[in-house]
Amino acid sequence: MAAAPVSLSGRFKGSFAYFTIKDRLPQILTRVIDTLHRHKNEFFEKHGEKGVEAEKRAISFLSKLRNELQTDKPMIPLNDELPDTPIWNQYLEYQRNVSNGNGQPSWFQSPWLYVECYMYRRIHEALIHNPPIDDFDPFMEAKIQSFFESQQAIIAVCTYLQELLKNIEDLNENQLKEEFFKLLQVSLWGNRCDLSISAGEDNSQKSSLLQSLNDFKSFILVDDMENLWSLLLNSKKRTTTKESITRVDMILDNAGFELITDLVLANFLSSSKLATEVHFHGKCIPWFVSDTTKHDFNWTLKQLQSANHMWMSRCGMNWEGNLKKGVWVYHDHMFWTLPHEFSSMAQVAPDLYAELQKSSVIIFKGDLNYRKLTGDRKWEFTVPFHQALNKFHPAPLCSIRTLKAEIQVGLKPGQGEQLATSESEWMINGKYGIIQFDASV
Ligand SMILES: O=P(O)(O)OC[C@H]1O[C@](O)(CO)[C@@H](O)[C@@H]1O
Ligand SMILES: [Mn+2]
């Protein structure tokens, strides 16, 4: 097999990676600094002078970080004592070795995936160094705001789900499949709502998606919904005869509306017995602005429960019930906030890999997960997904993402080129999506 292509990187001037590093990442840092500023009084009320001192130090660390980025300085080792610190520093060593002769790894020269992940880990470092504000999530406010701004869309999907559950037992196989496809697409388009692409600006779902699914259908560039359905249906048929389990793992992406669509899909899988267990995987630290942490996950369930809307609160109750019963399980693992592509998981996080091997199918939500699945490289559009996965096969898997980075594999010959002639931004504007499956283990 030919060697894997080069990584996307800021060194390719004019690429989306280049503009992200040049424009969007500094904007995100500026927003974090502003957020800390705005919370000064709160820190004072909570912790007195110590809180204000900590805020000042964190801001000065972050301003320095922004300057390092904008002047393309070399990446420096992390200087905190979290469990993942040595792994990050080893990864920097590795980047130094591979960039042999091309100078030090730096913001614009190194792989985009590495530098973007590194920025979020350094933001975390800024806070970790500064107790008593070390548990402050600088993106929390934006995540909460986006949740409330999507309120109407959330009500619409929760209501749809609750109506559907009333007679789910009476649905025949075809009707069940039709509903499954609908909720998969809702979860796909829910991925448009991340806050990193908009540099933290409002990007919430304002309208109900359910009425628009048909209009959006032609924007699904790879549609492997049938494969996913067959896998789950066959597994269900075996389950009823043998009392065995069908375990679906969801590697979560953004909090807010997207998370609701993922939970709605999970509820459907559990209630229809297409899955006997659903395992969710979230992030251990604030990540790519809107990614779901355990705190966001629990906050979301509590919000739903106390909502002044019957079907929203019903969803919240049922979902907490599923977690209590153990049919739903929430996990986090530091691997999800490391810079490694997933083909290194077996080596870097063998415990997580072994956990995922127990799955019947793993659903990877979102764009960043797609970049990590495929190594964030300059693949030809027609390269098979299986090849781009580069031996990452813990279990059958499916990526559900809207396109927000210049990477896409598994297209038909000419498909990518044709899109490029009609719409230059097709890979980055989040208008297109994929539901891309890989069965082979
Ligand atoms: O939330 P998602 O779907 O992973 O999207 C995040 C995407 O936004 C970006 O920050 C845009 O640069 C990408 O790095 C990343 O792929
Ligand atoms: Mn995200």
Side-chain angles (χ1 to χ4, degrees):
M1 210 190 287
V6 295
S7 301
L8 302 180
S9 163
R11 71 195 163 95
F12 300 111
K13 287 232 170 70
S15 67
F16 185 61
Y18 169 78
F19 285 115
T20 296
I21 301 167
K22 182 172 151 305
D23 301 327
R24 209 143 31 82
L25 299 188
Q27 269 173 37
I28 289 171
L29 283 171
T30 303
R31 272 184 181 255
V32 172
I33 292 171
D34 285 352
T35 306
L36 283 167
H37 251 312
R38 275 188 294 100
H39 283 75
K40 195 174 183 169
N41 288 345
E42 187 188 311
F43 295 143
F44 181 72
E45 276 155 30
K46 240 172 132 182
H47 313 287
E49 259 324 301
K50 281 211 163 75
V52 180
E53 291 302 315
E55 177 246 18
K56 278 194 203 139
R57 282 194 308 269
I59 288 181
S60 112
F61 183 102
L62 290 164
S63 310
K64 200 166 152 281
L65 175 63
R66 186 176 50 192
N67 184 266
E68 287 169 30
L69 185 162
Q70 288 179 315
T71 53
D72 194 21
K73 291 280 180 315
M75 323 305 280
I76 54 175
L78 296 176
N79 187 21
D80 53 29
E81 275 161 22
L82 296 186
D84 64 348
T85 311
I87 308 180
W88 274 97
N89 291 342
Q90 274 158 25
Y91 196 80
L92 171 57
E93 270 313 307
Y94 162 78
Q95 287 296 335
R96 283 182 178 147
N97 293 334
V98 292
S99 74
N100 215 354
N102 292 327
Q104 290 271 353
S106 69
W107 290 87
F108 283 85
Q109 299 307 314
S110 291
W112 174 34
L113 180 61
Y114 172 44
V115 301
E116 199 172 18
C117 292
Y118 175 82
M119 182 190 83
Y120 288 96
R121 182 59 178 77
R122 290 281 306 275
I123 294 175
H124 191 58
E125 185 185 26
L127 291 154
I128 286 298
H129 277 317
N130 288 299
I133 63 161
D134 47 343
D135 63 351
F136 182 73
D137 177 349
F139 306 122
M140 190 67 206
E141 220 176 42
K143 288 185 271 195
I144 292 178
Q145 195 185 346
S146 133
F147 176 90
F148 287 116
E149 272 156 5
S150 314
Q151 191 86 347
Q152 290 313 314
I154 293 176
I155 290 178
V157 283
C158 289
T159 306
Y160 185 84
L161 174 72
Q162 294 302 335
E163 295 290 340
L164 174 60
L165 295 182
K166 281 186 193 159
N167 58 1
I168 195 159
E169 308 271 325
D170 306 328
L171 299 186
N172 64 33
E173 213 170 279
N174 268 335
Q175 290 168 319
L176 213 52
K177 173 169 155 181
E178 206 176 295
E179 297 301 339
F180 175 58
F181 282 13
K182 265 194 201 165
L183 295 181
L184 269 178
Q185 289 171 76
V186 170
S187 166
L188 165 64
W189 300 122
N191 180 243
R192 277 182 177 159
C193 303
D194 82 89
L195 295 174
S196 137
I197 197 85
S198 55
E201 298 264 358
D202 172 30
N203 195 18
S204 55
Q205 180 67 34
K206 300 287 184 324
S207 58
S208 159
L209 265 175
L210 283 143
Q211 280 85 45
S212 319
L213 294 181
N214 277 339
D215 302 338
F216 292 162
K217 200 75 198 275
S218 59
F219 296 105
I220 304 181
L221 302 180
V222 178
D223 176 358
D224 290 338
M225 290 196 285
E226 288 284 349
N227 307 54
L228 201 52
W229 168 252
S230 311
L231 181 146
L232 289 169
L233 187 68
N234 291 335
S235 182
K236 178 180 174 180
K237 286 181 177 161
R238 283 198 301 273
T239 308
T240 40
T241 51
K242 271 206 310 188
E243 283 295 307
S244 58
I245 51 175
T246 305
R247 165 172 166 171
V248 174
D249 282 65
M250 275 198 191
I251 318 305
L252 296 172
D253 187 5
N254 304 303
F257 181 67
E258 180 172 3
L259 176 60
I260 303 290
T261 65
D262 297 337
L263 293 164
V264 165
L265 176 63
N267 192 156
F268 173 80
L269 291 172
S270 299
S271 300
S272 60
K273 307 199 173 56
L274 285 162
T276 56
E277 291 174 16
V278 182
H279 293 246
F280 301 96
H281 299 260
K283 306 291 195 293
C284 297
I285 63 172
W287 197 244
F288 281 68
V289 187
S290 42
D291 283 15
T292 308
T293 61
K294 188 172 189 168
H295 180 274
D296 300 327
F297 191 85
N298 292 334
W299 181 91
T300 305
L301 296 197
K302 287 275 167 295
Q303 279 304 314
L304 291 173
Q305 283 167 36
S306 58
N308 199 4
H309 186 280
M310 185 171 60
W311 297 135
M312 264 174 97
S313 65
R314 176 73 59 86
C315 282
M317 300 291 183
N318 290 351
W319 297 346
E320 185 158 307
N322 286 346
L323 289 161
K324 288 213 169 103
K325 277 184 270 174
V327 290
W328 284 10
V329 184
Y330 182 90
H331 304 249
D332 47 25
H333 193 289
M334 70 173 168
F335 181 79
W336 304 120
T337 48
L338 288 174
H340 300 72
E341 47 193 281
F342 292 160
S343 63
S344 312
M345 186 192 287
Q347 216 194 336
V348 179
D351 56 331
L352 177 62
Y353 194 84
E355 187 61 43
L356 293 180
Q357 283 179 310
K358 298 180 198 157
S359 188
S360 310
V361 61
I362 313 168
I363 296 178
F364 287 90
K365 285 299 312 284
D367 195 61
L368 177 62
N369 277 328
Y370 193 75
R371 293 173 55 195
K372 288 187 163 188
L373 282 165
T374 54
D376 212 34
R377 295 170 183 283
K378 286 193 168 196
W379 293 105
E380 301 278 334
F381 298 137
T382 50
V383 161
F385 186 35
H386 187 74
Q387 184 183 332
L389 286 168
N390 189 19
K391 304 195 175 62
F392 177 68
H393 303 296
L397 60 88
C398 186
S399 160
I400 300 186
R401 55 92 74 145
T402 56
L403 278 65
K404 290 174 277 185
E406 285 170 331
I407 180 159
Q408 184 57 53
V409 296
L411 295 185
K412 296 195 193 76
Q415 195 182 359
E417 289 73 6
Q418 203 175 3
L419 281 158
T421 51
S422 59
E423 193 166 342
S424 60
E425 303 224 308
W426 67 283
M427 299 185 89
I428 54 171
N429 59 14
K431 191 164 142 190
Y432 292 87
I434 53 151
I435 299 179
Q436 194 163 30
F437 181 77
D438 180 71
S440 28
V441 176

